[in-house]
Amino acid sequence: MAIRPVLRMGDPRLLEKSSSVKKFRTAALKELITDMRDTMASLNGAGLAAPQIGVNLQVVIFGIEGNVRYPDAEEVPFTILINPTLTPVNKEIEEGWEGCLSVPGMRGLVPRFVNLRYQGFDEKGKAIDRTVSDFHARVVQHECDHLAGILYPMRIRDLRNFGFTAELFPGEDIADD
Ligand code: NI
C-alpha cells in the first residue's frame, strides 16, 4: 500500500483520455486500487480517478460516509468502478458545488445530470449497473470526467462561481483542500 502524490491542474497528464482495463484480477490492478484507496483516504476525498495519480486507466473509486470535506452530503457506498459507461436517465440538470483533489482549496458550481445510470465492472470483473440521482450521480460524473481528461472547472458556466473555498464559504467549516 502507498499514498501517491495527486497531480494538480496544469499537469498535462490530467488532460489525457484513459485506456480501458483489459485484464481483471491482476496484481497490478489490485495494487493500483489499493494505492487509490490509501491516497483518497489520506486526503478525505469523495472520489479519485486513476489519472489523478498518473495512471492512464479507466479506474475510479468513490464513496462518502461521514466525510469531513462534504459534511452535509448524502452517503454514497464505497465503489470501485472500472471501464464505466454513463447514460443520463433524462435531461434534468442541476448545478452544485464541487471540489477536486487536483484543484486544492477551490470550489466551483458545476451543472450535472440529476439522474444517471452507470455501468462498468468492479475489481474482480463483476458487472455493475446502477441508476442513481443527486449527489451520487454528481460524484460519478465528476470522477468519470477525469477519464476523458475533463476537470470540473472546464464545465463551470459562470466563472464568478469559481473560487477559493474559504472566500466562497466564509465561516463555514469546510475542509480547505
Ligand atoms: Ni476530481
Side-chain angles (χ1 to χ4, degrees), residues 11 30 43 50 72 133 149-150:
D11 190 309
K30 198 177 171 192
L43 298 168
D72 301 324
S133 54
I150 297 168

Side-chain angles (χ1 to χ4, degrees), residues 16-31:
E16 288 173 14
K17 284 191 169 63
S18 291
S19 310
S20 60
V21 170
K22 304 285 190 279
K23 274 190 180 173
F24 292 84
R25 295 173 179 272
T26 64
L29 182 61
K30 198 177 171 192
E31 190 184 329

Side-chain angles (χ1 to χ4, degrees), residues 29 31 37 52-53 56 60-61 75 86 95 102 114 135 138-139 142 147 149 154 156 162 167 173:
L29 182 61
E31 190 184 329
R37 282 187 93 136
Q52 290 182 278
I53 58 167
N56 199 224
V60 303
I61 64 172
E75 299 212 334
L86 274 50
E95 297 208 315
S102 294
V114 177
F135 193 69
R138 175 171 299 278
V139 169
H142 175 114
L147 307 179
M154 295 155 73
I156 297 170
F162 180 45
E167 276 68 20
D173 187 22

Side-chain angles (χ1 to χ4, degrees), residues 6 14 47-49 52 69-70 98-103 112 139 142-146 150-153:
V6 175
L14 289 170
L48 190 72
Q52 290 182 278
R69 290 183 84 229
Y70 297 90
E98 295 185 14
C100 179
L101 297 174
S102 294
V103 192
R112 299 286 186 191
V139 169
H142 175 114
E143 295 311 327
C144 293
D145 261 359
H146 280 293
I150 297 168
L151 298 168
Y152 81 81

